[in-house]
Amino acid sequence: MRITEPLFDFIEKYSQEDPIKLRLKKFDDQGFDLTFAIDQIEARQKIKNKLPHWYENKKLLFPTVLSAEQASSEITAQYKQHIIDSKYKSICDLTGGLGIDSYYLAHAAEKVTYVERFPLYCEIAKHNFDILQKNNIQIICSDCLRFVHECDMRFDAYYIDPARRGAENKRLYDLKDCEPNIIELQNTLLEKASVILLKASPMIDISRASTALNFVSSVHVISVKNECKELFFIMNRQSAKTEIPIHCINLDINGKPEIYTFTLEKEKELLLPNFATSIQSYVYEPNSSILKAGAFKSIASSFSISKIDKNSHLYTSENFISNFPGRIFSVKEIIPFSGKNLKKLSTLYPAANITVRNFPITADILRKKTKIKDGGNIYILGTSLSDKKVLIICEKATNV
């Protein structure tokens, strides 16, 4: 791969152009791989928000567009760097990819070994790490399974992010279906390192995965701006915990975490929470990490709030709880869900943010039926209360 200044000039010149149109356009011989150059433009457009610091550095490259799409975000990679801290001197990243995680792991560890089977990825990773002046990352071009079985080196921890794409680019969610199969590989890895750091899809079942994985010591459910992005399992050969802490993390745009921790074992032991007979002054909606983790009884118990309905996952209280990990709404009124009420709702609230939970129609259909515009300070929550469908009209709550 020839990396030259004209390549970077081309990328900068056409950085805002449509990559599809660029691929159809005829160019004179540029002295570099034109397809690769257009891939850089497309990749950069895709990572602008996910990898803002990498986007700003014009000298960084991307082996493929797919590598940019599948890479961890800077915010989640920085969070993993934070929780790993300086616990491990040597970490081996078995699924190197674009190298985002390797780069941030190298801020926490003394040495990181980046393993990747595709030569182009390795070449680009070396270029990028040189540009970023990260000199404590060793690059090894090898299939990770072959590397694990043949390597004599020992590490404090293995980091692994199994590929979640199968035949015809089909998404895979079960750990045993991903490549490599961590369920089969875990014992071998734990013979050569004390810890496995596993990144997994937010779609997998945490309880099932914790059962299939050996020595899980903790799980982090990581969301960014209330969108669940990934699960992070820490597996420790020395761990003998019978109760696994589940850390529900919601990161804001600056990476500041909102944290709630519980255990699946205690969640199962808790009695069902109180169910509300009416909507009180405040409505509470847990953040996406808590909903993903299934801490439905734990969150009610921790904050002494009543569940609005068994399947709604909304809660209510007369009290304002400023440290609640999620959204807090101040209730204005409750409207029964009926065709008559829907017709006049837009005259009362011409613009609103609409959310539904345990409701017979989607938010989009409810918006079309009411003809309410999106936005504003009003929130309409469609939900169930004692087998009745209601619309909760509310605003974001503030501490007064």
Side-chain angles (χ1 to χ4, degrees):
M1 172 64 61
R2 291 186 65 217
I3 300 175
T4 61
E5 282 304 315
L7 169 67
F8 293 110
D9 292 341
F10 181 91
I11 295 168
E12 181 65 21
K13 180 178 179 180
Y14 294 100
S15 61
Q16 304 305 314
E17 299 291 327
D18 184 344
I20 295 176
K21 292 181 179 179
L22 286 176
R23 296 186 201 284
L24 297 174
K25 190 175 180 180
K26 289 188 176 181
F27 292 92
D28 294 333
D29 183 15
Q30 302 290 313
F32 52 78
D33 186 331
L34 192 59
T35 299
F36 178 77
I38 298 173
D39 282 348
Q40 301 309 299
I41 294 168
E42 184 176 355
R44 284 189 162 276
Q45 291 175 358
K46 289 180 179 291
I47 59 93
K48 184 175 182 179
N49 295 321
K50 184 167 74 168
L51 302 171
H53 291 100
W54 282 50
Y55 176 81
E56 291 170 5
N57 192 322
K58 304 304 182 183
K59 295 298 184 181
L60 297 179
L61 295 171
F62 304 83
T64 63
V65 175
L66 184 62
S67 70
E69 293 174 343
Q70 294 182 337
S72 295
S73 68
E74 285 181 13
I75 285 181
T76 59
Q78 287 168 342
Y79 174 74
K80 285 177 287 190
Q81 172 199 334
H82 169 72
I83 60 175
I84 289 168
D85 196 20
S86 56
K87 295 183 180 74
Y88 318 113
K89 290 185 177 180
S90 61
I91 300 176
C92 178
D93 182 352
L94 288 170
T95 46
L98 181 58
I100 300 296
D101 285 319
S102 284
Y103 172 69
Y104 283 102
L105 290 173
H107 285 71
E110 290 182 7
K111 182 179 180 181
V112 170
T113 300
Y114 162 106
V115 179
E116 173 57 55
R117 62 182 170 177
F118 296 119
L120 178 60
Y121 278 61
C122 293
E123 184 179 349
I124 298 300
K126 183 181 185 311
H127 166 83
N128 288 341
F129 296 149
D130 286 345
I131 294 293
L132 294 165
Q133 298 182 340
K134 246 339 172 174
N135 302 318
N136 61 332
I137 305 176
Q138 178 185 15
I139 296 173
I140 295 179
C141 188
S142 173
D143 175 83
C144 67
L145 292 177
R146 185 170 66 249
F147 175 80
V148 167
H149 290 297
E150 296 179 357
C151 177
D152 293 328
M153 288 188 288
R154 293 190 62 83
F155 302 95
D156 292 328
Y158 280 110
Y159 177 86
I160 187 166
D161 176 12
R164 302 192 285 271
R165 296 277 184 173
E168 299 177 355
N169 210 30
K170 182 181 177 181
R171 285 187 178 273
L172 303 172
Y173 301 112
D174 201 307
L175 288 175
K176 65 180 174 57
D177 296 328
C178 298
E179 183 185 358
N181 182 342
I182 186 61
I183 306 300
E184 293 181 349
L185 189 59
Q186 59 181 327
N187 288 335
T188 300
L189 295 181
L190 287 171
E191 289 173 0
K192 299 189 173 188
S194 298
V195 174
I196 298 174
L197 309 169
L198 168 66
K199 174 185 171 182
S201 165
M203 300 299 291
I204 69 171
D205 183 275
I206 295 173
S207 182
R208 277 186 60 196
S210 297
T211 301
L213 295 168
N214 297 332
F215 305 110
V216 174
S217 61
S218 64
V219 182
H220 296 253
V221 186
I222 307 173
S223 294
V224 177
K225 293 186 294 184
N226 208 30
E227 181 181 351
C228 197
K229 294 293 187 181
E230 63 184 71
L231 304 181
F232 188 56
F233 293 81
I234 299 179
M235 301 157 63
N236 189 330
R237 189 173 56 192
Q238 308 302 323
S239 176
K241 291 183 179 179
T242 56
E243 292 192 7
I244 301 169
I246 312 294
H247 305 286
C248 303
I249 311 299
N250 184 35
L251 302 167
D252 67 15
I253 193 169
N254 298 312
K256 183 180 178 181
E258 178 181 62
I259 304 172
Y260 178 75
T261 299
F262 76 111
T263 69
L264 293 177
E265 291 76 16
K266 287 187 177 178
E267 173 72 16
K268 292 174 185 176
E269 292 172 1
L270 283 170
L271 298 175
L272 288 172
N274 293 327
F275 293 109
T277 55
S278 63
I279 308 297
Q280 299 178 46
S281 297
Y282 297 98
V283 167
Y284 295 86
E285 182 185 48
N287 67 46
S288 58
S289 286
I290 294 170
L291 295 176
K292 166 60 192 175
F296 307 127
K297 292 185 288 184
S298 296
I299 199 76
S301 175
S302 295
F303 294 95
S304 300
I305 50 181
S306 299
K307 212 165 189 290
I308 287 178
D309 190 82
K310 182 178 180 181
N311 298 311
S312 291
H313 307 321
L314 291 171
Y315 302 79
T316 189
S317 172
E318 278 299 323
N319 302 316
F320 179 83
I321 305 166
S322 61
N323 63 334
F324 181 81
R327 299 198 294 181
I328 310 172
F329 300 99
S330 176
V331 177
K332 292 173 64 67
E333 63 174 319
I334 311 298
I335 298 176
F337 176 63
S338 68
K340 180 181 177 182
N341 286 335
L342 290 184
K343 288 180 181 178
K344 64 180 182 181
L345 197 61
S346 63
T347 59
L348 298 171
Y349 305 104
N353 306 276
I354 296 177
T355 300
V356 298
R357 290 199 179 278
N358 191 24
F359 204 64
I361 59 176
T362 66
D364 286 341
I365 293 175
L366 181 57
R367 185 176 299 284
K368 288 178 182 178
K369 285 180 175 290
T370 59
K371 297 180 181 179
I372 292 175
K373 295 180 180 179
D374 187 25
N377 298 322
I378 297 296
Y379 288 77
I380 299 177
L381 310 179
T383 191
S384 300
L385 174 67
S386 302
D387 296 326
K388 295 178 181 179
K389 308 303 176 187
V390 297
L391 301 174
I392 306 171
I393 314 300
C394 48
E395 295 178 308
K396 282 280 189 72
T398 56
N399 198 359
V400 293

